[in-house]
Amino acid sequence: MLFCVISTPRPERPSDMAATRQNFWPWMAGYQAKGICKHIYPRVGRGAVAIFDVESNEVLHRILNEWADMIPAHFDTYPLVDLEATKQMLAAQVAAKQGT
């Protein structure tokens, strides 16, 4: 299951969170090494955008709780569809319409 997660941290002073933010990247690297975090980018100013490929909502829930324990934040979460699955669905829709 693919998800795009956009974090918006609480408005603490960035300098107060610098050490914690340094710990965030090695923690996230563990999920990247496992193939769970496909991409992650820091946002301009504060926050991050990540693409996760997880087995279940529970796995994503655990990751976001760990993240929020490290850097308290609001998360906007968007389910995504695999590109190949989308192409197959569109081809099936076109074929069905042509068959009618």
Side-chain angles (χ1 to χ4, degrees), residues 13-64:
R13 293 172 53 121
S15 59
D16 290 345
M17 295 298 293
T20 301
R21 290 172 55 212
Q22 282 182 322
N23 293 330
F24 172 82
W25 295 106
W27 169 79
M28 186 57 74
Y31 285 110
Q32 289 175 301
K34 294 176 186 174
I36 293 171
C37 179
K38 298 297 187 183
H39 303 280
I40 186 159
Y41 301 96
R43 292 175 52 202
V44 172
R46 46 190 322 126
V49 175
I51 304 295
F52 291 105
D53 188 358
V54 294
E55 295 178 12
S56 66
N57 288 330
E58 291 77 17
V59 172
L60 182 63
H61 182 69
R62 181 178 43 81
I63 292 168
L64 295 184

